């Protein structure tokens, strides 16, 4: 009797396994078409960039010296040798770090994805890397896997998890580490200066690290490379790395800094065949719309990494207008936060995130899933388009109570996003379309008029 029972039990488990799909080998991910793969990203429009590392302890200051530009360049700008600098990862102990709180602040701001620096140029890795002992688990007293905590918090709150990875590594002896303190960025603009050990770093360190990040932390929305400018890194490496990533996670999106096509800070690829799924304008917005995928990344003040001495903060109004301007030209906006060495977002950043969240809560339909408008930008603001609707984002509200739209806009119905139940009077003339609007702007920053087209 016992034997029969056992056989029945084994057969039952086998059937259950088969039916519930718990096949022994991990289920293969369905490889999406490029448009399907890019869809979530094209709809998302707005993401959070996070620059966090040992440089966040330094804050861009060394005695009376303040690093010019981004504080994340402290090792270079404040003249630390590799040996000097190694003391900072040994101090990294951000006991106030709370991944869930960070992700909640991004979500409440209206951001749909987070790109966090897994490793910046300093070479210090914020995850448990088996390839390196210069990581948060081995060298810092913190001993928590930051990338794991962020990835889990993103999954919990339905925010896409993405990571930044620096090709440049000022610590690794086969990358730029062997050149410090003589390493000179300018020298590296000279293509004749090529580090003979870099291919070893690329093959034996960089690729295994990228594989760890793509294997151990679940779905990765975007891999955001940086440091593509160095002459050690070649387009052959870039193309190999792009294919390597797509083999591990076929549907991950990769920026154009994976290869060598980027045309400086304006961020789009020059002529030629280069790997990468979107262009990356940095600290600037193209003058006109671009009909390929692109994302503008920007700081809130002047530094990517935490820099308390930099009080050059963009206003919340300016940041909202930048979001609208970028979406009206067909792009995404990746807006940066530089948390401090304790794991806190600067209060000035939180204030701006809250203001952007208030605005996107009311006006998000004119942003998410919207595309560039077919009409040239009006003097008073921007247009975005979604299906059969044009959204007029008014930066300068008309004092006359009459908003003038492009003459080719055929209005079926016009309403304010803040007051969808009240139809606005419109009049089409040969030169423009007039919309009667309240004398006072309904929104303190950008007010949006929804135009349903005939
Ligand atoms: O050198 C980096 C810089 O520190 C920062 O990470 C920006 C963000 O895109 N990228 C490089 C400068 O172009």
């Amino acid at each position: 009797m016992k034997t029969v029972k056992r056989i029945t039990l084994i057969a039952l488990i086998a059937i259950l396994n088969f039916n519930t799909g718990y096949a022994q080998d991990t289920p293969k991910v369905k490889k999406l078409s490029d448009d399907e793969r890019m869809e979530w990203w094209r709809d998302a429009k707005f993401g959070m960039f996070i620059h966090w590392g040992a440089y966040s302890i330094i804050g861009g200051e060394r005695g009376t010296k303040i690093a010019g530009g981004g504080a994340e360049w402290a090792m270079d700008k404040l003249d630390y040798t590799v040996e000097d600098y190694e003391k900072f990862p040994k101090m990294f102990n951000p006991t106030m770090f709370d991944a869930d709180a960070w992700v909640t602040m991004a979500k409440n701001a209206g951001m749909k994805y987070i790109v966090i620096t897994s490793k910046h140029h300093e070479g210090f890795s914020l995850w448990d890397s088996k390839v390196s002992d210069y990581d948060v688990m081995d060298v810092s007293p913190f001993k928590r896997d930051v990338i794991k905590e962020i990835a889990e918090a993103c999954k919990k709150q339905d925010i896409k998890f993405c990571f930044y990875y620096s090709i440049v590594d000022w610590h690794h002896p086969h990358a730029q580490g062997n050149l410090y303190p003589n390493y000179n960025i300018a020298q590296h603009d000279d293509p004749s200066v090529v580090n003979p050990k870099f291919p070893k770093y690329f093959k034996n360190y960089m690729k295994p690290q990228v594989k760890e990040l793509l294997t151990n932390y679940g779905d990765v929305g975007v891999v955001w490379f940086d440091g593509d400018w160095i002459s050690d890194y070649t387009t052959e490496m870039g193309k190999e790395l792009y294919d390597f990533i797509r083999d591990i996670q076929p549907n991950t999106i990769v920026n154009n800094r994976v290869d060598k096509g980027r045309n400086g800070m304006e961020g789009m690829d020059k002529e030629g065949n280069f790997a990468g799924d979107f262009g990356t304008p940095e600290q600037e917005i193209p003058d006109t719309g671009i009909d390929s995928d692109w994302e503008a990344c920007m700081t809130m003040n002047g530094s990517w990494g935490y820099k308390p001495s930099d009080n050059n903060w963009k206003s919340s109004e300016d940041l909202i207008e930048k979001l609208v301007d970028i979406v009206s030209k067909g792009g995404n906006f990746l807006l940066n936060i530089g948390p401090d060495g304790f794991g806190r977002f600067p209060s000035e950043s939180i204030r701006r995130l809250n203001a952007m969240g208030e605005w996107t809560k009311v006006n998000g339909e004119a942003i998410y899933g919207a595309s560039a408008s077919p009409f040239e930008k009006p003097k008073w603001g921007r247009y975005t388009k979604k299906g059969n609707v044009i959204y007029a984002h008014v930066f300068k509200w008309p004092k006359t109570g009459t908003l003038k739209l492009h003459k080719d806009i055929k209005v079926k119905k016009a309403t304010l996003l803040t007051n969808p139940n009240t139809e606005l009077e419109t009049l089409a003339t040969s030169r423009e379309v007039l919309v009667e609007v309240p004398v006072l702007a309904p929104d303190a920053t950008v007010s949006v008029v929804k135009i349903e087209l005939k």
Side-chain angles (χ1 to χ4, degrees), residues 102-152:
W102 284 16
V103 174
T104 300
M105 282 192 274
K107 187 165 185 147
N108 289 346
M111 294 159 156
K112 304 297 183 187
Y113 58 105
I114 290 178
V115 180
I116 182 166
T117 49
S118 62
K119 184 200 79 165
H120 203 264
H121 311 336
E122 63 177 8
F124 175 53
S125 300
L126 288 184
W127 77 97
D128 182 11
S129 173
K130 300 304 177 219
V131 182
S132 165
D133 58 8
Y134 199 54
D135 70 7
V136 69
M137 304 306 281
D138 293 311
V139 79
S140 86
F142 194 49
K143 301 210 180 309
R144 281 164 51 183
D145 187 327
V146 169
I147 297 302
K148 180 170 186 279
E149 293 186 31
I150 290 284
E152 287 175 349

Side-chain angles (χ1 to χ4, degrees), residues 48-53 55 72-73 113-127 147 150 160-170 201 206 209-210 213-214 220-229 245 252-255 257 262 278 280 282 295 297 304-305 334 336:
M48 179 182 278
F49 213 169
I50 297 176
H51 274 70
W52 201 36
Y55 49 79
E72 71 287 351
W73 274 61
Y113 58 105
I114 290 178
V115 180
I116 182 166
T117 49
S118 62
K119 184 200 79 165
H120 203 264
H121 311 336
E122 63 177 8
F124 175 53
S125 300
L126 288 184
W127 77 97
I147 297 302
I150 290 284
K160 277 283 187 182
F161 165 68
C162 314
F163 67 82
Y164 164 114
Y165 186 91
S166 174
I167 296 162
V168 169
D169 190 314
W170 294 334
Y201 159 79
M206 194 175 137
Q209 282 210 318
V210 170
L213 289 163
L214 286 164
V220 174
V222 175
V223 181
W224 213 98
F225 284 103
D226 204 10
D228 50 329
W229 57 80
I245 290 162
T252 294
I253 297 169
V254 188
N255 75 346
R257 300 189 188 191
R262 177 168 66 114
F278 62 89
T280 51
E282 179 172 326
E295 171 196 75
C297 59
W304 301 96
L334 188 63
N336 184 72

Side-chain angles (χ1 to χ4, degrees), residues 350-374:
I350 296 172
R351 261 192 276 281
R352 285 152 180 80
L353 291 175
N354 291 343
M356 297 188 86
E358 289 310 309
W359 188 83
T360 49
K361 224 174 266 133
V362 174
N363 302 288
E365 79 167 76
I367 295 291
Y368 306 119
S371 57
S373 94

Side-chain angles (χ1 to χ4, degrees), residues 435-452:
V435 185
E436 197 177 322
V437 294
V439 174
L440 289 178
D443 199 303
T445 52
V446 177
S447 301
V448 182
V449 179
K450 178 175 181 177
I451 314 284
E452 291 167 60

